[in-house]
Amino acid sequence: VTTTTWDLLVVNAAVATMDPARPGPYGLVSDAAVGVTDARIAWVGPMAEAPRGAGAARIVDAAGALVTPGLVDCHTHLVFGGDRVAEFEARLSGASYEELARRGGGIASTVAATRAAGEDDLLRAATRRAEQLLGDGVTTVEIKSGYGLDLETEVRMLAAARRVGDELPLRICTTFLGAHTVPGEYRGRPDAYVDLVCNDMLPAVAGAGLADAVDAFCERIAFSVEQVRRVFDAARRHGLPVKLHADQLSDGGGAALAASFGAQSADHLEHTSPAGVRALADAGTVAVLLPGATHTLGERARPPVAALRAAGVPIAVSTDANPGTSPLLSIRIAANLACTLLGLTPAEALAGITRTAARALGLTGRTGVVAPGEAADLVVWDAGQPAELVYWIGGRLASTVIVAGDVVRSA
Ligand code: DI6
Ligand code: FE
């Protein structure tokens, strides 16, 4: 008789594996167990089929509750100084986001506050925000720079972002977004700023191992297709994958641009054309929907969800947590809005905050699915059915959060 001993065993679970190899939209396995060894999932299946005589150092009894992969928030701007509460008030009195940006508010005001903040202050504030996500089942978070727009502050932001992963048991992916907007000191000289991004910032950030990917904002109030292409060429030279804020406020051909570089993801897409959708499908680039921004800006335009679905573009959903356009600290509210505002099904939304969000970060096979070999990032929910995670608007439903096989939060 062989005996298996796991480090951790989750029993009596309704596991929404999100494994496309299993039947049904959620890859659901009832009366299931999940065995964990060396921080990874070693076995998942019906308890009746578990290896006989299997033991475990620690057992988590889900008592029939839903278990999912740890959630993945694949697009955030959690590190920033100051706040934009006054801008929120101004917008609700009639000013538009673009108007405020042109007047030197918007991103520029956060840049000023971020340049004035020390790394420890940035870290402390970002950690408080990230804690909100972790507490409700997020185990992987992407964090962008882009509020420094000079070498020193971009480096400080990325260093703070990495350190969030020391403060909290979260997987952190960092993204260099030096090409977020043209800083005041380069007004009227955007190409000179792009030179700085490509020739100074990107090499320094890549050399220090501070970024896992490179992002840019392709928009008439930010950077042109030609300028983004230069940033992406530089990213390629440094071996970094790219992603893009594409077609958020206008159709600038961002989706096709991202696809032409084999981007991990093209994000926003409110104004993406049918040609852009086809390009994403051909490239296998993930479409990341950010309904928190649509909601906050009162945008009428919607990303072309039906076309994305018909073309087979993988769809992820994220908070876009940022002080200006999406002060949203709940990935489940993002998923709810993706359904109610954008027309995703709950199954699509749940895939979008697990498996497909992991894909948008280049983490396919590592987290986002409950399957052998993946990281043991698991959540036991105070819920019985997968769609319930998307149905409730906010609140805290996570009862046990497991990261790399460790129980890190327990209600
Ligand atoms: N698009 C967005 O929605 C955020 N960045 C971007 O490129 C907004 C950033 C901000 O307003 O602070
Ligand atoms: Fe964003």
Side-chain angles (χ1 to χ4, degrees):
V1 179
T2 55
T3 50
T4 310
T5 304
W6 285 304
D7 298 337
L8 177 80
L9 183 63
V10 181
V11 298
N12 297 316
V15 183
T17 63
M18 305 313 292
D19 186 347
R22 291 187 184 271
Y26 303 102
L28 200 63
V29 185
S30 319
D31 299 315
V34 183
V36 173
T37 303
D38 292 335
R40 286 166 191 268
I41 295 164
W43 190 88
V44 54
M47 289 205 291
E49 295 170 19
R52 294 185 47 187
R58 177 161 189 187
I59 291 183
V60 171
D61 188 346
L66 176 70
V67 170
T68 68
L71 307 182
V72 177
D73 195 347
C74 67
H75 178 143
T76 85
H77 308 251
L78 281 186
V79 172
F80 59 85
D83 67 68
R84 301 263 285 282
V85 180
E87 177 182 320
F88 177 67
E89 293 184 295
R91 267 192 290 105
L92 288 169
S93 302
S96 82
Y97 180 71
E98 279 193 74
E99 263 163 45
L100 290 163
R102 287 181 202 286
R103 269 194 249 147
I107 295 177
S109 66
T110 298
V111 171
T114 304
R115 286 178 176 179
E119 186 177 313
D120 288 344
D121 294 328
L122 293 174
L123 172 66
R124 210 169 305 123
T127 299
R128 276 201 306 274
R129 297 170 195 129
E131 167 65 38
Q132 304 277 325
L133 297 172
L134 173 65
D136 202 35
V138 172
T139 56
T140 300
V141 181
E142 184 258 19
I143 303 177
K144 301 176 195 296
S145 69
Y147 291 122
L149 310 183
D150 60 32
L151 174 60
E152 189 200 323
T153 316
E154 288 290 306
V155 163
R156 191 158 74 246
M157 286 188 74
L158 290 168
R162 279 263 193 263
R163 285 174 62 197
V164 172
D166 302 328
E167 299 291 312
L168 296 172
L170 277 171
R171 289 175 202 286
I172 301 291
C173 298
T174 58
T175 300
F176 171 60
L177 177 56
H180 195 188
T181 191
V182 179
E185 62 274 20
Y186 281 88
R187 187 159 302 137
R189 298 183 297 135
D191 283 298
Y193 180 66
V194 173
D195 287 342
L196 181 75
V197 168
C198 296
N199 301 335
D200 294 327
M201 293 189 193
L202 213 154
V205 157
L210 282 171
D212 302 313
V214 172
D215 193 351
F217 188 16
C218 187
E219 189 58 61
R220 54 196 178 201
I221 57 167
F223 298 96
S224 69
V225 166
E226 211 31 68
Q227 289 160 345
V228 171
R229 204 171 267 142
R230 290 172 56 209
V231 175
F232 282 4
D233 279 330
R236 195 174 262 174
R237 282 197 297 279
H238 288 90
L240 289 173
V242 299
K243 37 187 55 271
L244 187 65
H245 284 70
D247 308 326
Q248 178 184 7
L249 307 171
S250 61
D251 178 15
L257 170 64
S260 75
F261 277 84
Q264 288 179 331
S265 68
D267 304 38
H268 283 291
L269 307 176
E270 281 85 340
H271 295 268
T272 296
S273 67
V277 172
R278 273 194 306 279
L280 294 176
D282 291 344
T285 293
V286 174
V288 179
L289 307 184
L290 306 166
T294 308
H295 171 71
T296 302
L297 295 179
E299 263 273 326
R300 255 182 278 279
R302 296 284 182 270
V305 165
L308 291 168
R309 186 188 282 134
V313 176
I315 299 174
V317 175
S318 169
T319 59
D320 194 15
N322 78 72
T325 62
S326 190
L328 174 56
L329 293 175
S330 165
I331 190 74
R332 288 193 307 98
I333 293 181
N336 173 276
L337 291 173
C339 293
T340 55
L341 216 52
L342 308 183
L344 259 56
T345 66
E348 287 172 327
L350 204 56
I353 60 174
T354 54
R355 179 179 76 232
T356 313
R359 177 168 169 177
L361 297 176
L363 296 177
T364 295
R366 294 167 59 191
T367 192
V369 173
V370 183
E374 296 241 348
D377 300 346
L378 301 162
V379 184
V380 183
W381 297 95
D382 187 6
Q385 313 169 57
E388 214 177 324
L389 301 185
V390 178
Y391 156 82
W392 289 107
I393 304 172
R396 282 225 174 175
L397 295 185
S399 60
T400 302
V401 182
I402 298 166
V403 179
D406 287 329
V407 174
V408 300
R409 291 291 182 278
S410 193

